[in-house]
Amino acid sequence: MNPDDDLARALALTPPTDPYVVCWRDLDPTSTTEELDRLTDWVTWAATRYNLDHKVIPPCWSQHGAVVEELSALRTFWESSYQPDAAPSEPLAFHRDLTLALRRLRDWTSLLGCTRTTHRPQADS
């Protein structure tokens, strides 16, 4: 398998429509489940593609709102960066912001205290 195959597979994860921003707060339970399934496909691909470990994206990421929001925003940016009408510089912009997002994800994961094998639920605030 070559890098072009990886990119083609990743692009197939996205619907053929324009990317859209998911407002998680406004989703009903069914839509939340559907969006999490869609996001999970992309997160699995991105974690493999960028060799991200559990210190960046813990296995229980979908149970932590801030991590879901960050990964969802990244996916939307990634989708928009690879649209046919995207500027040639968009993939570079994505990677610039990916660096910052990975730093935030590491910080959140560290604060959560979740590990590769243990999930620590967040206390209700």
Side-chain angles (χ1 to χ4, degrees):
M1 184 164 306
N2 65 46
D4 290 337
D5 293 336
D6 287 344
L7 180 58
R9 196 172 46 235
L11 289 171
L13 294 174
T14 60
T17 59
D18 289 336
Y20 62 95
V21 176
V22 175
C23 182
W24 293 91
R25 180 194 64 196
D26 294 343
L27 297 179
D28 60 53
T30 300
S31 296
T32 297
T33 299
E34 290 169 358
E35 286 299 329
L36 273 174
D37 288 346
R38 183 172 168 261
L39 182 58
T40 297
D41 290 341
W42 185 84
V43 169
T44 300
W45 172 82
T48 301
R49 182 67 170 172
Y50 293 100
N51 197 29
L52 305 175
D53 66 18
H54 68 282
K55 294 176 184 175
V56 179
I57 303 174
C60 57
W61 65 267
S62 64
Q63 298 177 46
H64 299 287
V67 177
V68 169
E69 295 283 350
E70 186 75 36
L71 291 169
S72 181
L74 271 175
R75 188 217 31 224
T76 299
F77 193 9
W78 181 85
E79 287 175 343
S80 70
S81 296
Y82 290 94
Q83 291 294 306
D85 61 346
S89 60
E90 284 301 307
L92 287 174
F94 168 78
H95 286 95
R96 180 196 61 229
D97 287 357
L98 175 64
T99 301
L100 298 172
L102 294 178
R103 190 174 306 145
R104 287 189 299 270
L105 285 166
R106 274 189 198 93
D107 289 347
W108 279 322
T109 299
S110 176
L111 289 172
L112 293 169
C114 297
T115 68
R116 185 184 320 241
T117 59
T118 305
H119 167 62
R120 290 185 49 196
Q122 291 176 254
D124 293 333
S125 25

